[in-house]
Amino acid sequence: MTDLFSLPAATAGPQLHVARRTFERLRSVPELARRYADCGAPRSLDDLAALPPLDKDALNTALAHLEPRAERGAGATWLFQSGGSTGAPKVGHAPTGFYMTGVHAQWQPLDHDDVFVNAWGAGRMWGAHFLAAALADLSGCRILAVGSVTTDEYADWLTFFAAAGVTAIGGTPSVLRLWFAHARAAGLQLPALRKVLWLGEAWQPQLAADLAAVAPRARRWGMFGSTETWVVGTNTPDCPADTFHPLPEQLVHVGAEDLLDFTTLNPDMLNPVLRYRTGDAGTLLACPCGRPGPAMRVLGRRDSVVQVRGLGLHVDELIARAEREPGVNRAQVLITEQRGRAATVELLLLTGPDGPADVERLRRDLLSATFTLSTAFQHDPESFRVRPVDELISNDRTGKTAGLVVREGS
Ligand SMILES: [Zn+2]
């Protein structure tokens, strides 16, 4: 059983006191007490594997009760959006520094000579911009904190980047694609660009074509994590894009149905991360880069979550939300893809005799309350639509009407 962990028992065992403390914290949460009633504090990896896994809802229930704070002298406690597809933003906590000293100790994509554009969006309680800033800070490079820009600003910024000798840029792959697509459209190149850092979505293979045109010498450097776990693993240009080397302070476990769960071994971690499942499936294997120790290959999602521009959209939650609306009998999500990427997401509403609901208000509400939609369609919000229809789309062969329909557009 223990060979399904990223660390051998001899290495992880002496650090399990952190997991035992997390266990006690979780067990102190009244709503979770029953989950852990029959469990003992984990003294071995087998004990750990026997604990119930934690999902986002349970973790957020725990955080609401525990209200963790950074130790005095360790800086502030930052609250960030941790996704959640509908309703109020769910929140994750981290101290100043965002645990990036542990990341920097094993992964240094940036060095003192780099000129780094931080293109992760800042504000709205998003974590990645600040996390990347902390890494850049540790590397001692020059930092251009650009964040997100509007469509008509790309060309000017890209011209500035070229003149400033930008050597590195970081963002979610969807955002990076926008930058490189605008550069290609404007005929701009970034000849000094060597490094593309990414986090927050799966790598998009189309980025290789973008890079070949805009920055032929640039190579990708990836991080994998979530706002609950923070950075779990990293990779280099020599690793496959879906394979990451776990940090020594992150214990990765492959459970039932290949679902990955994560347990922090970092005593400073504020979120109670104990067998936390992101919904990603994966496997542990040797990385072709040759670095010793098991690497984590991420295989994608195993729940009712569909990938929209690299972000997970909870289809069932979105439908349930729409069907609570007065006048809506049934709802269906229609995703139209172009070359494998979601061009539009439409929510189709089968309305009752009372007439259609207030479609535009519902659209606005869903867009602002759904983290995946507001982020994925940040630059083209009109690509998320809500449309009353006379009938939903059925499968002609089976006669079934699924909650999700994915079509290839023209
Ligand atoms: Zn590797």
Side-chain angles (χ1 to χ4, degrees):
M1 203 164 189
T2 50
D3 58 345
L4 296 174
F5 282 93
S6 58
L7 291 172
T11 308
Q15 303 180 76
L16 283 179
H17 63 94
V18 178
R20 287 195 288 276
R21 194 187 63 133
T22 309
F23 172 80
E24 296 302 340
R25 290 168 72 204
L26 286 168
R27 201 161 63 162
S28 75
V29 178
E31 295 93 328
L32 302 181
R34 275 187 60 190
R35 294 164 67 98
Y36 296 104
D38 299 328
C39 309
R43 307 223 154 255
S44 67
L45 292 181
D46 285 343
D47 290 351
L48 188 67
L51 292 177
L54 200 62
D55 63 12
K56 188 189 285 281
D57 285 345
L59 189 111
N60 275 274
T61 298
L63 283 171
H65 177 81
L66 297 168
E67 293 191 323
R69 298 281 181 90
E71 295 289 325
R72 283 187 197 281
T77 302
W78 296 59
L79 275 62
F80 289 112
Q81 290 214 39
S82 76
S85 59
T86 57
K90 288 173 177 150
V91 166
H93 296 57
T96 301
F98 318 106
Y99 317 111
M100 293 308 280
T101 47
V103 178
H104 185 254
Q106 85 151 19
W107 189 70
Q108 292 112 25
L110 301 172
D111 58 46
H112 186 263
D113 296 329
D114 275 315
V115 181
F116 170 59
V117 171
N118 187 343
W120 277 282
R124 292 189 180 215
M125 294 172 67
W126 290 338
H129 183 94
F130 298 94
L131 174 157
L135 179 78
D137 204 12
L138 291 163
S139 76
C141 68
R142 279 190 279 170
I143 306 174
L144 280 55
V146 175
S148 52
V149 304
T150 57
T151 301
D152 55 353
E153 293 177 323
Y154 280 98
D156 285 348
W157 278 108
L158 284 157
T159 305
F160 172 71
F161 292 168
V166 163
T167 62
I169 186 171
T172 57
S174 292
V175 165
L176 293 168
R177 288 210 67 200
L178 290 169
W179 278 107
F180 294 123
H182 280 95
R184 289 178 82 170
L188 290 165
Q189 286 214 327
L190 296 172
L193 192 75
R194 300 282 185 282
K195 301 159 184 178
V196 177
L197 279 62
W198 54 284
L199 167 70
E201 303 171 353
W203 180 254
Q204 297 182 15
Q206 301 93 328
L207 274 163
D210 295 340
L211 288 175
V214 176
R217 297 171 70 183
R219 306 187 76 190
R220 57 166 170 72
W221 296 77
M223 290 176 274
F224 177 88
S226 69
T227 315
E228 291 77 30
T229 59
W230 292 84
V231 175
V232 168
T234 58
N235 69 21
T236 75
D238 297 329
C239 312
D242 61 358
T243 302
F244 301 85
H245 296 271
L247 301 175
E249 64 198 48
Q250 298 273 7
L251 184 58
V252 181
H253 174 240
V254 182
E257 297 174 52
D258 294 333
L259 282 168
L260 295 171
D261 63 75
F262 306 94
T263 296
T264 185
L265 300 176
N266 180 346
D268 297 326
M269 175 68 85
L270 298 183
N271 292 343
V273 178
L274 182 74
R275 290 210 66 204
Y276 179 73
R277 275 184 181 165
T278 57
D280 291 292
T283 184
L284 294 171
L285 41 63
C287 184
C289 76
R291 188 171 145 177
M296 167 184 72
R297 183 168 174 225
V298 179
L299 302 170
R301 314 279 306 199
R302 284 288 161 85
D303 45 23
S304 76
V305 172
V306 62
Q307 292 290 307
V308 173
R309 300 183 178 180
L311 297 172
L313 179 69
H314 287 257
V315 170
D316 291 350
E317 283 185 31
L318 191 63
I319 288 173
R321 169 71 181 77
E323 290 180 349
R324 284 201 293 273
E325 195 73 12
V328 175
N329 285 345
R330 236 189 124 182
Q332 183 178 50
V333 174
L334 169 62
I335 297 180
T336 304
E337 292 190 335
Q338 284 173 355
R339 293 184 299 278
R341 182 174 193 262
T344 61
V345 171
E346 292 176 280
L347 186 65
L348 308 181
L349 304 180
L350 196 60
T351 51
D354 302 337
D358 186 346
V359 167
E360 182 49 30
R361 182 193 51 74
L362 179 62
R363 193 191 85 85
R364 281 198 312 270
D365 287 356
L366 290 171
L367 193 59
S368 63
T370 309
F371 173 76
T372 294
L373 295 176
S374 60
T375 305
F377 295 108
Q378 183 187 1
H379 297 279
D380 56 342
E382 69 281 2
S383 299
F384 171 63
R385 298 169 199 150
V386 177
R387 194 153 58 86
V389 293
D390 292 328
E391 55 185 329
L392 299 179
I393 301 164
S394 295
N395 183 322
D396 289 334
R397 187 172 52 79
T398 64
K400 287 183 180 168
T401 304
L404 172 68
V405 177
V406 179
R407 283 182 169 171
E408 182 65 23
S410 52

